[in-house]
Every structure is written in C-alpha cells, then in structure tokens.
Amino acid sequence: MKRLMIMAAGLAMLAGCGNKEKEYDATGVFEATETTVAAEQSGALMAFDVSEGDVLPFGKEVGLIDTTQIWLKIQQARATKGVYQSQKPDMEAQIAATRQQLAKAKQDQQRYKELVADGAAPSKMLDDANSQVQVLQKQLDAQISTLSTQLSTLDSQLSTVDVQESQLQDQLRKCHITTPTTGTVLEKYVERGEFVAVGKPLFKIADTLRMFIRAYVTSAQLKNIKVGQKAKVYADYGDGQKKEYDGTVNWISGKSEFTPKTILTDDERADLVYALKVAIKNDGYVKIGMYGEVKFN
C-alpha cells in the first residue's frame, strides 16, 4: 500500500511538471542600432577624441578635419562680394541731373503752350519745347535701362557668390565630426594625424539606450502577436540570473525563414519561423550579443 502511494505521488509530480507553463515564448539575442560615422571631407585629421567603449551624447564634436583651405576660399568669396557691392551704381544719383533737366523742359513746354494759345509766341517755340521734352525723356529711359541691367548683373553675380559661400560653409561644417546619436563607441578605425578621404569610416557607434531583442516565433504563435504589443523581456546572465524589462514589439518580419541554428522556438519541430524585434529601454546592464527571453502579454 505504501509503495502504491509513493508511485501515485510520483506520477502526480510528473503530471504537474508536464503541465508547467514555459517561462518564455521565444528567445533571441540583444541588438542595437549601429551607425558607422564616415568622413564627409578630405584632409588631415587635426583632432580625434574617440576611444572604444566611450559613451557619447548626441551631437558631441569628437574630431576635426583640416579647415585651412576651405576657410581661405570663404575669405576669397567675401572679398569678391565686396568688389561686386562697390560696383553697384547709385541709380538715383546718376539720373538726378537728367530728371531735373526733364522737369525744367516740361515747365518750358507748359509755358510755351500757354503763350502760343494766347498768340504771344510762335508755334515753333512750342514744337522745340516738345522735342526737348521727348529727347530728355528718352535719355532718362535709356539711363534707367542701362543702370537697371548693370544692377541686375551685379545682383546675379552676388547671388552666385552667396551660393558659393554657402557651399563652403557647408563643407566647413562637415569638417567638424559629431556623434549622430547617443551611444557607445564600438570600433575606432583611424587615429589623429591621419589623412582621411570622403567616405572613409572613422568609428562605429551604437544606440545602447534603446536596444531590442531579435527573437523568432512560429506561425502558430504569430497569430497572437502584433506590432505595438507589450511583452516582458528577460536578459539572461547565465546560472539562472535574469533581469526583467518592459518591452514593445516594434517590428515583425513580413516573410518566413528557416529556423536559425542558434535559436529556440516554442515549437521545435517548426522549420519556418518569423523574426521580430521587441524594443526595451536599456538601463546600462544589457549588452549587445547577450541572450534573452521574451514572454508576450
């Protein structure tokens, strides 16, 4: 009888173990968005304050490419602008004399018109006055046209120089190497004093504050998962040591793939799985490449 009770208890324990719910729905590896920062200008690297493992804030200047030639070109462009500006004519000053002559001629024209109407002056005097007004008006129009063309040409030249200076200022800005995101420096490719060309990688940085775990689920699991869904994420430190984080599913692959060799899924018999990402806010303890588990709410 005692043996039967022990056997029954053993079977109950096995049954209880068999019905125990798994602690996770998927496993994966923690990743971060990595950015390779490359040189945007060519020249000697005058300063470069970057070391692997550094945690840098967004927008921090960490290096400088030689700016001498660009700065000299900017000074040259500004001098050219000064020359064009000094050549711009003062239209009102240059046509003031002709305007005055035309105003005087119109006064004479009106006076002769009245005298001719009263019969106090011959009509030839009015004809001459009319002719004088027409000549001066044409001279004034020609001066205005010439000066306007000259001003328009100089304004166009100034605009061209302004564009050139803006381009140079942009090149000057790109000589200052800044961090594109807050993160940790993963790799450093150059040293201070080296000559770098446009496009040469300088360092790699990863956004380690907003990390995610890339996990894989079967199609059976996928029907209960959607983007925006909350989940519990566990960073696995080994020996049963775990740290829990609140996560959100922010990406699900649109196509299936064969189960990666290093990935475990809820259904180990499934050949095809779907990749997804669950984002977390890192407190500094989660590292790139660390294994983790996901439990979907």
Side-chain angles (χ1 to χ4, degrees), residues 117-138:
D118 293 339
S123 60
K124 184 178 183 306
M125 295 183 68
L126 179 59
D127 293 339
D128 291 342
N130 290 336
S131 177
Q132 182 67 12
V133 169
Q134 291 176 359
V135 169
L136 290 172
Q137 185 64 57
K138 289 179 180 179

mmCIF file of all heavy atoms in Angstrom, residues 117-138:
data_model
loop_
_atom_site.group_PDB
_atom_site.id
_atom_site.type_symbol
_atom_site.label_atom_id
_atom_site.label_comp_id
_atom_site.label_asym_id
_atom_site.label_seq_id
_atom_site.Cartn_x
_atom_site.Cartn_y
_atom_site.Cartn_z
ATOM 1 N N ALA A 117 -1.153 129.624 -77.155
ATOM 2 C CA ALA A 117 -2.625 129.694 -77.097
ATOM 3 C C ALA A 117 -3.105 131.141 -77.040
ATOM 4 O O ALA A 117 -4.163 131.485 -77.595
ATOM 5 C CB ALA A 117 -3.126 128.923 -75.881
ATOM 6 N N ASP A 118 -2.303 132.008 -76.392
ATOM 7 C CA ASP A 118 -2.668 133.421 -76.303
ATOM 8 C C ASP A 118 -2.193 134.222 -77.520
ATOM 9 O O ASP A 118 -2.451 135.435 -77.616
ATOM 10 C CB ASP A 118 -2.065 134.042 -75.033
ATOM 11 C CG ASP A 118 -2.690 133.457 -73.772
ATOM 12 O OD1 ASP A 118 -3.798 132.918 -73.871
ATOM 13 O OD2 ASP A 118 -2.037 133.517 -72.710
ATOM 14 N N GLY A 119 -1.441 133.552 -78.410
ATOM 15 C CA GLY A 119 -0.904 134.221 -79.581
ATOM 16 C C GLY A 119 0.287 135.092 -79.285
ATOM 17 O O GLY A 119 0.682 135.934 -80.091
ATOM 18 N N ALA A 120 0.911 134.864 -78.116
ATOM 19 C CA ALA A 120 2.054 135.686 -77.707
ATOM 20 C C ALA A 120 3.383 135.083 -78.127
ATOM 21 O O ALA A 120 4.444 135.698 -77.917
ATOM 22 C CB ALA A 120 2.036 135.884 -76.194
ATOM 23 N N ALA A 121 3.387 133.879 -78.701
ATOM 24 C CA ALA A 121 4.633 133.232 -79.129
ATOM 25 C C ALA A 121 4.348 132.370 -80.340
ATOM 26 O O ALA A 121 3.223 131.861 -80.505
ATOM 27 C CB ALA A 121 5.216 132.390 -78.004
ATOM 28 N N PRO A 122 5.366 132.236 -81.208
ATOM 29 C CA PRO A 122 5.164 131.403 -82.407
ATOM 30 C C PRO A 122 5.075 129.910 -82.020
ATOM 31 O O PRO A 122 5.654 129.466 -81.019
ATOM 32 C CB PRO A 122 6.395 131.703 -83.250
ATOM 33 C CG PRO A 122 7.438 132.130 -82.282
ATOM 34 C CD PRO A 122 6.722 132.855 -81.187
ATOM 35 N N SER A 123 4.371 129.139 -82.813
ATOM 36 C CA SER A 123 4.201 127.709 -82.543
ATOM 37 C C SER A 123 5.506 126.934 -82.615
ATOM 38 O O SER A 123 5.644 125.857 -82.031
ATOM 39 C CB SER A 123 3.186 127.116 -83.531
ATOM 40 O OG SER A 123 3.632 127.284 -84.872
ATOM 41 N N LYS A 124 6.521 127.488 -83.343
ATOM 42 C CA LYS A 124 7.814 126.795 -83.435
ATOM 43 C C LYS A 124 8.467 126.652 -82.069
ATOM 44 O O LYS A 124 9.139 125.651 -81.779
ATOM 45 C CB LYS A 124 8.740 127.550 -84.383
ATOM 46 C CG LYS A 124 10.077 126.832 -84.594
ATOM 47 C CD LYS A 124 10.954 127.565 -85.563
ATOM 48 C CE LYS A 124 12.255 126.809 -85.816
ATOM 49 N NZ LYS A 124 12.976 126.478 -84.604
ATOM 50 N N MET A 125 8.257 127.660 -81.228
ATOM 51 C CA MET A 125 8.853 127.582 -79.894
ATOM 52 C C MET A 125 8.235 126.418 -79.110
ATOM 53 O O MET A 125 8.919 125.729 -78.362
ATOM 54 C CB MET A 125 8.645 128.903 -79.150
ATOM 55 C CG MET A 125 9.372 130.087 -79.805
ATOM 56 S SD MET A 125 9.189 131.622 -78.886
ATOM 57 C CE MET A 125 10.132 131.218 -77.415
ATOM 58 N N LEU A 126 6.925 126.187 -79.288
ATOM 59 C CA LEU A 126 6.274 125.052 -78.619
ATOM 60 C C LEU A 126 6.759 123.740 -79.201
ATOM 61 O O LEU A 126 6.985 122.768 -78.460
ATOM 62 C CB LEU A 126 4.756 125.173 -78.772
ATOM 63 C CG LEU A 126 3.936 124.040 -78.138
ATOM 64 C CD1 LEU A 126 4.214 123.933 -76.642
ATOM 65 C CD2 LEU A 126 2.443 124.257 -78.395
ATOM 66 N N ASP A 127 6.966 123.706 -80.533
ATOM 67 C CA ASP A 127 7.491 122.485 -81.167
ATOM 68 C C ASP A 127 8.872 122.135 -80.617
ATOM 69 O O ASP A 127 9.177 120.973 -80.336
ATOM 70 C CB ASP A 127 7.545 122.647 -82.676
ATOM 71 C CG ASP A 127 6.157 122.761 -83.304
ATOM 72 O OD1 ASP A 127 5.193 122.318 -82.633
ATOM 73 O OD2 ASP A 127 6.047 123.263 -84.427
ATOM 74 N N ASP A 128 9.699 123.177 -80.481
ATOM 75 C CA ASP A 128 11.051 122.939 -79.932
ATOM 76 C C ASP A 128 10.980 122.443 -78.493
ATOM 77 O O ASP A 128 11.755 121.572 -78.075
ATOM 78 C CB ASP A 128 11.865 124.238 -80.004
ATOM 79 C CG ASP A 128 12.201 124.638 -81.433
ATOM 80 O OD1 ASP A 128 12.116 123.764 -82.327
ATOM 81 O OD2 ASP A 128 12.540 125.818 -81.659
ATOM 82 N N ALA A 129 10.060 123.005 -77.715
ATOM 83 C CA ALA A 129 9.911 122.582 -76.319
ATOM 84 C C ALA A 129 9.442 121.132 -76.240
ATOM 85 O O ALA A 129 9.917 120.350 -75.414
ATOM 86 C CB ALA A 129 8.932 123.508 -75.603
ATOM 87 N N ASN A 130 8.482 120.791 -77.117
ATOM 88 C CA ASN A 130 8.004 119.402 -77.156
ATOM 89 C C ASN A 130 9.131 118.443 -77.511
ATOM 90 O O ASN A 130 9.263 117.355 -76.925
ATOM 91 C CB ASN A 130 6.868 119.257 -78.161
ATOM 92 C CG ASN A 130 5.593 119.946 -77.688
ATOM 93 O OD1 ASN A 130 5.402 120.143 -76.491
ATOM 94 N ND2 ASN A 130 4.729 120.332 -78.620
ATOM 95 N N SER A 131 9.921 118.832 -78.496
ATOM 96 C CA SER A 131 11.049 117.993 -78.940
ATOM 97 C C SER A 131 12.068 117.809 -77.816
ATOM 98 O O SER A 131 12.597 116.721 -77.603
ATOM 99 C CB SER A 131 11.719 118.626 -80.164
ATOM 100 O OG SER A 131 12.841 117.867 -80.565
ATOM 101 N N GLN A 132 12.332 118.907 -77.080
ATOM 102 C CA GLN A 132 13.288 118.831 -75.985
ATOM 103 C C GLN A 132 12.801 117.878 -74.893
ATOM 104 O O GLN A 132 13.577 117.092 -74.345
ATOM 105 C CB GLN A 132 13.504 120.231 -75.394
ATOM 106 C CG GLN A 132 14.511 120.298 -74.265
ATOM 107 C CD GLN A 132 15.940 119.995 -74.706
ATOM 108 O OE1 GLN A 132 16.240 119.935 -75.919
ATOM 109 N NE2 GLN A 132 16.829 119.818 -73.752
ATOM 110 N N VAL A 133 11.513 117.909 -74.582
ATOM 111 C CA VAL A 133 10.953 117.005 -73.574
ATOM 112 C C VAL A 133 11.090 115.561 -74.028
ATOM 113 O O VAL A 133 11.462 114.674 -73.244
ATOM 114 C CB VAL A 133 9.466 117.354 -73.315
ATOM 115 C CG1 VAL A 133 8.809 116.252 -72.475
ATOM 116 C CG2 VAL A 133 9.353 118.679 -72.599
ATOM 117 N N GLN A 134 10.823 115.291 -75.301
ATOM 118 C CA GLN A 134 10.918 113.927 -75.822
ATOM 119 C C GLN A 134 12.351 113.402 -75.756
ATOM 120 O O GLN A 134 12.599 112.245 -75.384
ATOM 121 C CB GLN A 134 10.399 113.885 -77.260
ATOM 122 C CG GLN A 134 8.901 114.114 -77.386
ATOM 123 C CD GLN A 134 8.436 114.170 -78.823
ATOM 124 O OE1 GLN A 134 9.236 114.050 -79.761
ATOM 125 N NE2 GLN A 134 7.132 114.383 -79.038
ATOM 126 N N VAL A 135 13.311 114.270 -76.129
ATOM 127 C CA VAL A 135 14.734 113.859 -76.110
ATOM 128 C C VAL A 135 15.173 113.530 -74.694
ATOM 129 O O VAL A 135 15.818 112.504 -74.429
ATOM 130 C CB VAL A 135 15.615 114.970 -76.718
ATOM 131 C CG1 VAL A 135 17.091 114.666 -76.463
ATOM 132 C CG2 VAL A 135 15.363 115.100 -78.210
ATOM 133 N N LEU A 136 14.851 114.426 -73.746
ATOM 134 C CA LEU A 136 15.261 114.190 -72.357
ATOM 135 C C LEU A 136 14.582 112.951 -71.764
ATOM 136 O O LEU A 136 15.183 112.224 -70.965
ATOM 137 C CB LEU A 136 14.944 115.429 -71.518
ATOM 138 C CG LEU A 136 15.821 116.653 -71.810
ATOM 139 C CD1 LEU A 136 15.308 117.878 -71.075
ATOM 140 C CD2 LEU A 136 17.280 116.370 -71.415
ATOM 141 N N GLN A 137 13.305 112.717 -72.145
ATOM 142 C CA GLN A 137 12.602 111.531 -71.648
ATOM 143 C C GLN A 137 13.266 110.260 -72.149
ATOM 144 O O GLN A 137 13.437 109.290 -71.389
ATOM 145 C CB GLN A 137 11.141 111.570 -72.103
ATOM 146 C CG GLN A 137 10.289 110.442 -71.541
ATOM 147 C CD GLN A 137 10.152 110.496 -70.031
ATOM 148 O OE1 GLN A 137 9.693 111.499 -69.493
ATOM 149 N NE2 GLN A 137 10.577 109.436 -69.332
ATOM 150 N N LYS A 138 13.696 110.246 -73.411
ATOM 151 C CA LYS A 138 14.381 109.084 -73.963
ATOM 152 C C LYS A 138 15.736 108.871 -73.299
ATOM 153 O O LYS A 138 16.152 107.733 -73.041
ATOM 154 C CB LYS A 138 14.543 109.237 -75.468
ATOM 155 C CG LYS A 138 13.229 109.115 -76.241
ATOM 156 C CD LYS A 138 13.447 109.289 -77.724
ATOM 157 C CE LYS A 138 12.114 109.152 -78.490
ATOM 158 N NZ LYS A 138 12.297 109.347 -79.947
#
